[in-house]
Amino acid sequence: AYQQASPMGQLIYLAISLYFIVAGWKIFEKAGEAGWKVLIPFYNTYTMLRIVSKPGWWLLLFFIPFVNIIIAFIVALALGKAFGKDAFWSIFLLFFLPFIGVSILAFSKSANYKKPKK
């Protein structure tokens, strides 16, 4: 049977969601995109693909099971690289511990965006 989340669980979910929206907004702005784009489903992923210089049609690959994991991995690597981070950093902090990785990209002065070549 379906069980509804507790009010505390819902509050935690809301707080985490808001945090990722704020961090995503900052990352988009650092990359020269309008921060509000993070609020629109699918368009935010399309914008992220543009930030990391990947083709927009890759958005469709996110709808294919298992392929989406590989594409998310590639995008995390490319995002880290675009902000001057190495592969280990990108894999570990953006893919496996995104709360930490996204926080560093969004709020650290050491993370500066440089548009990747296609």
Side-chain angles (χ1 to χ4, degrees), residues 27-32 50-53 77-85 105 110-118:
I27 290 170
F28 276 31
E29 286 182 341
K30 279 186 168 186
R50 287 188 29 206
I51 288 170
V52 299
S53 295
L77 278 170
L79 183 62
K81 186 176 179 184
F83 279 88
K85 306 302 181 188
L105 293 187
S110 70
N112 297 309
Y113 177 76
K114 184 178 178 202
K115 184 159 182 69
K117 295 180 175 93
K118 290 188 178 190

Side-chain angles (χ1 to χ4, degrees), residues 24-25 27-29 31-59 62 75 79 83 113 115-116:
W25 191 297
I27 290 170
F28 276 31
E29 286 182 341
E33 294 286 345
W36 60 263
K37 292 179 181 181
V38 79
L39 299 172
I40 302 173
F42 307 112
Y43 188 54
N44 57 12
T45 305
Y46 175 79
T47 303
M48 181 62 68
L49 289 169
R50 287 188 29 206
I51 288 170
V52 299
S53 295
K54 300 298 180 199
W57 65 265
W58 277 28
L59 177 64
F62 280 99
V75 170
L79 183 62
F83 279 88
Y113 177 76
K115 184 159 182 69

